[in-house]
Amino acid sequence: MAISSDMIKDCPYFTVQKVLAGKWSLLILHFLSEETLRFNELQRKLDNLTHATLAKQLKALEKSGLIVRTEFAQIPPKVEYSLSDLGRKLQPSLDSLFEWGQEYLKYSSSKN
Amino acid sequence: MAISSDMIKDCPYFTVQKVLAGKWSLLILHFLSEETLRFNELQRKLDNLTHATLAKQLKALEKSGLIVRTEFAQIPPKVEYSLSDLGRKLQPSLDSLFEWGQEYLKYSSSKN
DNA sequence: CTGCATCCATTCAGATACTG
DNA sequence: CAGTATCTGAATGGATGCAG
């Protein structure tokens, strides 16, 4: 259903929308673009986010191939997340969106 | 709920995610960036989309201030949609995302 | 520290049908 | 031609608790 046949394959916009669907995707990608982070470090940066929710988002991003999960076999467990090549390629777009977001905020605050 | 106090105001990423949340936002913005369109013209471009759904998306985008609705007082009714200044400013980001989407599709198809 | 399973609440796309 | 109202089902964010 939704968009049939060709479009779903041909349309990059659709892909983008799918990948960025996660409510926290942008934030996560942003933080990971600055540095590789462990699960808990990431969670601390994203306050107000339970570990279950974060886990789901990370899993989704990993499945999309945007981030890389590296597990260290040790006690206590340690897992690091970083951007994949694909994720790194997205960064310019991210920066661009970030700037636009600032414009938007500026605009709407002057509007009120 | 979710992200409290400052972050929600300060974080452009959050704004972006809110605006692009709609499943069809990217497509709609794309088509409108090429030309001003009437409701039905837009719907024809977005096949597989009921007018009710499209109406909701357009309303959301209009509320976000990304598109402009122009109504002509005539029979039969005529309404045109076009990008606002804010919407136009988003275009570079859109293009950037589009390119990335293509990369993504290329990558995943070679991966399979 | 990290992750999974479960349940709940909400959100939202989509279908249908009705109005001017 | 354009828009609205209502309903449904699916997806998903989020809370809690349990397990390596």
Side-chain angles (χ1 to χ4, degrees), chain B residues 46-106:
Chain B
L46 296 166
D47 227 21
N48 315 294
L49 193 52
T50 57
H51 63 276
T53 302
L54 177 56
K56 274 189 226 166
Q57 303 276 322
L58 286 172
K59 227 169 138 188
L61 287 172
E62 190 197 354
K63 193 176 159 200
S64 300
L66 288 179
I67 64 177
V68 175
R69 200 182 90 104
T70 313
E71 192 173 349
F72 297 85
Q74 61 178 51
I75 304 292
K78 174 178 169 184
V79 181
E80 284 186 347
Y81 292 91
S82 59
L83 289 189
S84 69
D85 289 348
L86 219 46
R88 229 175 298 281
K89 279 184 191 157
L90 184 57
Q91 235 199 300
S93 311
L94 242 49
D95 294 340
S96 178
L97 284 174
F98 184 84
E99 285 176 36
W100 179 84
Q102 290 179 317
E103 287 267 359
Y104 187 95
L105 290 173
K106 205 167 53 182

